[in-house]
Structure formats: C-alpha cells, structure tokens
Amino acid sequence: MMSQQLIASAMSRTTAAAVQFGKTSILPHPAVPLKSATAFQLQYNRCITLHSSVDTAKYSQRIYNNVSRLYARRMIELASFSAATVASTTQMEAGFMIEKPKEWQTVDLVEQRKQFGESISSLGKTKLSRVWAAGSRIANLTLLASPLFILAPVAYITSSDSKPNHWAWDYAVWAIEQAGPTFIKLTQWATTRNDLFSSEFIEHFSKLQDNTRGHSWKQTESILKDAFGEGYMDLFQFESGTEMRQQDKISPIGSGCIAQVYKAKLKKDTNLVAAGSDVAIKVTHPHILHKVCVDFYILNKITEWIESIPYVNLDYLSMKDSVEQFRDIMLPQLDLRVEARNLKRFRRNFADDPRVDFPQPISELTTDKVLVESFIHGEPILNYCEEGRKPKKDREQLAELGLETVMKMIFLYDFVHGDLHPGNILVNRNKKARGSPLCLNMIDCGLVVEMGERDHVNLVKVLGAFIKRDGNLAGHLMIDTAKKCNANEMDVELFCRGLEKIIHDDEEQNFLESVGDYLADICYLACKHKVKLEASFINAALACEIMEGIASKLYPTMKVQNIALPMVFKAEVMHGLAGMKRSFF
C-alpha cells in the first residue's frame, strides 16, 4: 500500500514536470540526480539543432514524450527503492522493539519502600530511644575496633610473615564479621576492587565473600519450628558436608552476612520441585534487623553532617541520598519472601537465555525468616579468576557473559543484582541446553537495585552518552536531570568541558572499562561546579564497577564497547528516545 502511494505521488510530480518542460525546459526533480537532468537537457538541445529544418512542433512533441517516459521510469524506480527502504527500516526497528518492565506500570517504588521501611524498622519512635540505640551501637563498634589501634602499627613495622601481622589481619576479619551485615557488605564490595586495594587486603578479606561466621543449630532449629511446627523434620532430610548427619550434628554448608544455608532433600512433593530433589534452606541470623536499622540511622546522620560542612560542596555528591537508597534496597533483604519474589522476576527476565540461571524458590515453604529453593550444583567463579587454573576460552566466555548479563539488568530490565561479589556467582554447564554451554548461576538475590521508569530513562541517557564518549551531552543531561543544581552558566560550561576532558584524556579506555577512575573525577567536578549527582547514577555505576572488577580478572583485554553499545541502543529503542537512529546508523 505504501509503495502504491509513493508511485502515485511520483507520477503526479512527473506530469507537472512534463508540462513545465513543454513550456520552458527540463527542471531537475529533487529526487532525480542533477547529472541525469543535465544529460536529458543536452540530448534535447542536440536534437533541436540537428533537425531545425523539420517540423519543429511535431519533433518537439516526440522528444517531449520520450523524455517524459524516461523521467517517469526513473521516478518509479526511485519510488520503489524509497518504499523498500522504508519497509526494511520499519522491519528492523520492529525487530528491536523491547517491552518495558511491566512493574513500571503497577508498582510505586517510592511508596512501596517507604511502607516497608516503616513496617520493618526496629528503632524506637522517640528521639531518646533512637539516640540511645545509636550511642550503644557506636560504643560497641568502637570497642571492636580498639585493639586495631595497637595491632595495626605493630603489624606495619614488622614483616608480612610475622605473628603480629597475622594477628592484626585475623582480628580485622573477625571484627568485621562481628560488626554485622552492613560492614560485611561494604567489605565484600571492596574485595572486588583489586585496582583500589592492596593484594594483601584482598587476600585476607576475600574470606568474607563466600563464608562468614554463622549461628548455632539450636537457633536455626527454633526458627524452623516457628516456621513449620514441630514436624519440620518430616519435610526435609538435612545434609551436612558430604554425608547425611543426625539432627544434633547438622551444620550449614555456607554462611553469609544475612543468613546461613543448609543442604537437604525434600521428603514431599511441592508444586515446582519433586520429592527427593536437593534444596537449599536459607535461615536468617537472629537479631540482625536491629543492627542494620541502627547502622543506617548512624550512617544517615554522619552523611547529613558531612554534607552540611560549609564551602566544600560535599552535598553535591548525594552521599545521604545514596545511603538512603542503599538502605531502601538492603532492608527488604531481611525478609526472605522478598528474595523469593526477586528470584521469580530474575528467572522470568532470563528465561530465554540458557547461559544464565537462578534458583527456583518454593513459595509454599518460604516465610520471612526461611527460604527454600532449588539447590545449585556448581563451583565458585573465584576458581576461574586464578590464571592458569581454567581454560582461557572458558574464562573469556564467562567475562563476556557476566558483563552482558549485568548490562541487560541495568539497561533492559531495571532490576539489578545488587550483591554480585564472586561468592554469589556459581559456574556449571547447562546440560539441558544444546552444546552444554557454560552457565552463570546467581544466588543470594535479596539485594536488588530498581529505579522506576523516570530515573531509568535518565540513567540510559547519561550512561549512554558516556559509553558513546560524548562528554558535553553527558554533562548537560546530568545537569538537566539533577534534583538540585546551584550551578551558574559558567559552572555548567566548565562542568561539561571537564567531562569532555576526562573522556579525551582517556582515549584508550571506555567508561565501563574504568568506572572507578571516571567516577572519582566526576565526583570532584560535581563538588567543584555545584552539580548534584543522582544516587541512581552512582549506584548503577558501582554495579558496573563490581562486575568490571570480576571481569578484569577473567579477561583483562576484553572490549567492553562491543557488549555495552548494543544494550544502550536497545534501551534507547525501549524508551523511544529522540536521536536513537542517529546514534546507531
């Protein structure tokens, strides 16, 4: 239908041009190359000169008819080509149509987080009770850290093999474990940044990535009885290590900062998992809710005080906003029913990719303190990070797959695993898929980053500009989307120029290949020129940075652009952003 319309339009233009030709001379049509029109004109002039003795009117009419036919044929060819081009472009764009997450239309994230925070907070309602809780917590943390004031200087002046050095590191690891989930999370993130911290630091604190000190079986048993009653042993046959143990000798196979995990076999069928299947039973540590709530109360007050320091413009780093956003995404992790919902959404998002998998939660056996899910058989990705231990090809495939997965989470699904340290990534082969490809299994999905449609489209614009190395565009977008900006015209210009210089000075590196360096420079410029950074941008950049830290160990020379740019394009298509075609074609 479109082709017929274009051809009809071309024919009407041809008739008008032919009439004009009869009166004066050939006028080039916009769609006809100037060279072709000139050739027609020369041919006509030559014929008029050679046959001046013949009846000019009749010969002119014949030439007019011939030239009109040639012109019409050319216009039909151009119209057909134009119609085919439009059709192919439309088909290509349709092939890239990406559905927006349906949660954007059904969930109010701000209200949901506010209600959850109010319902779960264990802080007192009066100011006195909150101050007392914060003071007691600070005293406890100070007492934990006090031995390091003696051990650290002694370890510094002695050799790395000395006993004081070992004592200092062992005590530091123990103190972090005792400090609670908030500090363990921060340390787990730090151990993924081998470009920021020493190898000795990473070597000692890496122990916290896949195993921390847990609680006793007696405490676990009490929680299981509350969840399933006295007959909980009729549901599960517990396993400890590699051998079945008696009830009084059951020990966890792993322990994290929020909960510890037991391996068992189901004794009864469920809706999704059959009896006899291996399952993981996750049980929260006792009394962690109060610790986490008080920690975030203290961090909130500290960042509020830092941002209020005059003349240094630290409020433009959005530290307080980042702490509040981190609190909003960490507190739900304390309710294991939230993790079960997260697992279902992750499984839905990656259902078509046999190289990425998540545990299957069993909803009928899940409560706020107990999560039962399918057991993942695999080995930690840490085993692949050691050069020479695994085939180079496998390591490179995992690096590319890991980065691609995180890019999809950020740009396409707005649902990012917020705890992707190496201890939460297991590797196996998907024997159900053709060729048994390597498969990344992501566990411990209680901590997720989710922004909502408004913040997500802003993030896509800003990160897309950085990945495309357009510093000026990135700067103006960050200013336009900032909730607070006291920058004058000169500050705006200098901020954008600063970003352009950062990108220009680092020609060999892309934003996602050196997120840490970029982020430090961007924060400096934001403070200097009074541009408030959005917390969503910082948190997404940190998620990229964590995955970059893992990928750099697996595949140091990987070209991030080849994976990131297609994801940016798809996200732009999803949001229907103007200029999308120019960025791609």
Side-chain angles (χ1 to χ4, degrees), residues 341-355:
R341 289 196 294 269
N342 293 344
L343 285 170
K344 291 177 182 178
R345 184 168 171 182
F346 276 125
R347 288 177 63 86
R348 184 193 74 201
N349 290 344
F350 291 92
D352 296 330
D353 193 340
R355 305 168 302 161

Side-chain angles (χ1 to χ4, degrees), residues 308-512:
S308 67
I309 299 175
Y311 307 117
V312 291
N313 297 331
L314 292 178
D315 55 325
Y316 294 101
L317 293 183
S318 298
M319 289 186 291
K320 185 172 182 291
D321 290 347
S322 296
V323 168
E324 290 177 351
Q325 194 172 58
F326 184 46
R327 177 201 64 198
D328 291 341
I329 62 180
M330 187 170 178
L331 281 179
Q333 192 178 11
L334 305 180
D335 186 339
L336 297 183
R337 291 171 298 187
V338 174
E339 181 172 350
R341 289 196 294 269
N342 293 344
L343 285 170
K344 291 177 182 178
R345 184 168 171 182
F346 276 125
R347 288 177 63 86
R348 184 193 74 201
N349 290 344
F350 291 92
D352 296 330
D353 193 340
R355 305 168 302 161
V356 181
D357 201 8
F358 298 85
Q360 172 66 63
I362 304 176
S363 300
E364 59 263 43
L365 297 178
T366 296
T367 68
D368 59 335
K369 294 182 180 179
V370 180
L371 169 64
V372 182
E373 61 188 15
S374 60
F375 189 86
I376 299 293
H377 295 272
E379 57 181 323
I381 199 171
L382 281 173
N383 295 349
Y384 287 81
C385 292
E386 299 177 18
E387 190 171 357
R389 187 171 179 180
K390 296 290 183 179
K392 181 180 179 182
K393 183 179 179 181
D394 289 352
R395 297 174 74 232
E396 293 178 353
Q397 286 180 357
L398 288 175
E400 292 175 347
L401 176 59
L403 185 62
E404 179 185 341
T405 301
V406 173
M407 292 295 100
K408 286 181 178 179
M409 291 179 179
I410 294 174
F411 287 108
L412 302 185
Y413 303 137
D414 184 26
F415 203 66
V416 186
H417 194 309
D419 198 14
L420 275 179
H421 61 83
N424 282 341
I425 305 177
L426 301 177
V427 181
N428 59 18
R429 289 194 175 273
N430 188 347
K431 297 181 179 179
K432 297 179 181 179
R434 183 177 181 181
S436 299
L438 283 171
C439 182
L440 282 181
N441 298 271
M442 299 185 179
I443 60 176
D444 198 7
C445 299
L447 187 64
V448 297
V449 178
E450 192 176 6
M451 289 166 279
E453 185 170 9
R454 175 183 167 276
D455 287 340
H456 188 265
V457 69
N458 293 336
L459 177 74
V460 169
K461 291 177 181 178
V462 174
L463 285 184
F466 274 112
I467 292 172
K468 296 170 189 172
R469 306 184 62 81
D470 191 339
N472 185 61
L473 176 61
H476 281 97
L477 287 171
M478 294 175 77
I479 292 168
D480 293 342
T481 58
K483 293 184 176 70
K484 176 182 178 182
C485 182
N486 293 334
N488 54 35
E489 291 185 7
M490 180 63 70
D491 281 323
V492 170
E493 182 67 22
L494 292 175
F495 179 72
C496 293
R497 286 184 182 179
L499 292 182
E500 285 185 319
K501 187 176 186 302
I502 291 172
I503 293 174
H504 182 269
D505 292 345
D506 200 13
E507 291 182 355
E508 296 182 357
Q509 296 291 328
N510 181 262
F511 175 75
L512 294 175

